[in-house]
Amino acid sequence: MVTALPETARQVVFPARDEISVLTAAVPAPGPDDVLVRVALVGICATDLHLLAGHIGDPFPLVPGHEFVGEVAALGERAAADRGLAVGDRVAVEMLLPCRSCARCREGRYNLCERDDMATGLPRGRQYGVNIPRTVEPGLWGGYAEYLHVPAEAIVHRLPADLPFERAVLVEPLAVAHRAVARGRVAPGDRVVVIGPGPVGILTTAAARAAGAGRVVMVGTRDERLALATRFGADAVVNSRTSDDLAQAVRAALGGADADVVIEIAGVAAAQNDAVRLVRRGGRVVLAGACGAAVPVTFLADEELLTREPDLLPSFLSAGGFEPAIALLTRDTFPFEQLVTHRFGLDDVETAFETIRGRRDGVLKAVLDPSA
């Protein structure tokens, strides 16, 4: 099922480390099992800046962008029948294209697909906007673009027709948050600490609250972001930069008790160390922040690990998180639109990156609008 399509589409391309271009690519009609998505909005993630800096492999030339939402522009007959989709449907596509046949995919942990080159060193990966080079046909593998190619192995989620794209664009980071909360086995009544009040961290407070957490405390260094976290489910906040004794301050914020679950989403080694030190004996620590480079983390083997026996639970990507994320976005429990503070066109990517790097103009979450 193909409607009138443009012959070419514009894309932001990283030709090489620290290089940005805006180029065009051919837009082929989708095959029988494929979907072509017109990108409505795509979030800018810290991972994109790490990719540009060459901190995550050598995927160049790369079309970045993995936090995209859009609508079906065209699709093959089998794709329409198998997926139950039609032209015009609003969709979100998970960033990982699982092979569905390796041991990890078969056990349900498709975020760890063994055919992804970040795990195996294969010449091409399976992550949109991260490790599928533009040279892989048809070259439409990133969300910083007008159109995106969606093959049969992709995981596609239909979005409610009345869910605004301005809110839906948060589905991928919110899915990451939901996976982190699930990895931490957050249960009703649990005392939860979230470290890192960036967009995913703030969304993690919302996901923890939605999971029934009894008390949620956000830890960070920027007061304006900490204040925003209180609108997304945090009962209290702690500024780790101004606290003389972080553990004591967090304990006081939790009502005199230690945390059952600590979720680190800051992406710095010091925060991962803090996470282990803040959790109660036998508690759960979720490490979900990507540091973007080979950063060592050191724990005291006996004092912090052996004799306290916390569960250390890395959380990678968003597997299993899209369904609860979409459900939460459809409710008015939290002011999701307040997270998206800046909107840029494809030609303004460098300005967007400079704004984010410089933390200018109160930027929290910036998105690209390919139609701008």
Side-chain angles (χ1 to χ4, degrees), residues 7-370:
E7 293 183 359
T8 61
R10 299 171 70 241
Q11 303 173 310
V12 173
V13 180
F14 296 166
R17 177 178 176 175
D18 293 327
E19 295 182 17
I20 301 177
S21 299
V22 178
L23 305 176
T24 59
V27 179
D33 299 300
D34 301 332
V35 180
L36 185 71
V37 171
R38 182 187 67 79
V39 179
L41 290 175
V42 54
I44 298 176
C45 176
T47 298
D48 304 337
L49 278 71
H50 286 308
L51 283 161
L52 179 62
H55 295 162
I56 307 176
D58 183 12
F60 309 111
L62 178 76
V63 180
H66 58 271
E67 298 181 3
F68 47 82
V69 289
E71 65 180 21
V72 175
L75 72 170
E77 291 186 5
R78 282 200 298 266
D82 294 345
R83 297 186 183 278
L85 292 174
V87 170
D89 284 347
R90 296 183 171 213
V91 293
V93 184
E94 296 197 23
M95 69 175 288
L96 187 73
L97 301 169
C99 75
R100 303 175 185 263
S101 60
C102 72
R104 301 290 76 75
C105 283
R106 292 199 306 272
E107 70 183 13
R109 301 181 73 179
Y110 61 87
N111 59 310
L112 304 179
C113 177
E114 293 173 345
R115 293 182 60 81
D116 180 20
D117 81 343
M118 294 185 77
T120 65
L122 292 172
R124 61 153 286 193
R126 306 183 75 86
Q127 295 180 45
Y128 276 115
V130 174
N131 61 17
I132 308 177
R134 186 176 186 252
T135 50
V136 176
E137 293 293 334
L140 306 174
W141 297 108
Y144 284 26
E146 293 177 318
Y147 286 87
L148 188 88
H149 173 68
V150 180
E153 64 264 40
I155 302 174
V156 181
H157 300 269
R158 187 201 304 270
L159 297 171
D162 59 351
L163 180 64
F165 282 128
E166 290 76 12
R167 178 177 285 222
V169 72
L170 296 172
V171 66
E172 196 276 343
L174 183 54
V176 170
H178 273 287
R179 178 167 181 81
V181 167
R183 287 284 284 163
R185 305 190 300 278
V186 174
D190 274 347
R191 297 178 295 270
V192 178
V193 171
V194 179
I195 304 177
V200 180
I202 291 172
L203 291 170
T204 299
T205 65
R209 178 62 71 200
R215 189 164 182 81
V216 181
V217 172
M218 170 63 80
V219 175
T221 60
R222 288 192 260 179
D223 287 332
E224 68 279 5
R225 292 192 173 190
L226 292 171
L228 182 59
T230 63
R231 298 177 221 163
F232 283 82
D235 297 289
V237 300
V238 173
N239 189 315
S240 56
R241 181 172 292 160
T242 59
S243 298
D244 294 331
D245 186 327
L246 179 59
Q248 183 178 3
V250 170
R251 193 174 295 113
L254 287 171
D258 290 323
D260 299 300
V261 183
V262 179
I263 301 174
E264 173 276 324
I265 198 67
V268 294
Q272 296 181 348
N273 282 318
D274 286 338
V276 170
R277 293 164 187 157
L278 293 175
V279 78
R280 65 165 172 80
R281 293 166 67 91
R284 286 97 66 197
V285 175
V286 180
L287 304 178
C291 295
V295 178
V297 181
T298 303
F299 303 114
L300 298 177
D302 290 351
E303 182 180 342
E304 294 176 349
L305 298 184
L306 181 65
T307 62
R308 301 185 68 246
E309 209 176 55
D311 289 348
L312 296 186
L313 302 158
S315 183
F316 182 54
L317 302 183
S318 56
F322 269 73
E323 292 86 351
I326 293 169
L328 190 56
L329 287 169
T330 61
R331 303 200 292 269
D332 292 326
T333 311
F334 304 106
F336 291 108
E337 286 84 357
Q338 293 182 17
L339 287 180
V340 180
T341 57
H342 290 67
R343 190 165 175 160
F344 299 91
L346 295 182
D347 291 321
D348 299 320
V349 169
E350 293 192 60
T351 300
F353 281 13
E354 290 168 5
T355 301
I356 294 168
R357 289 193 195 99
R359 300 179 178 180
R360 299 201 310 244
D361 305 326
V363 64
L364 179 58
K365 185 65 177 179
V367 302
L368 296 180
D369 180 350

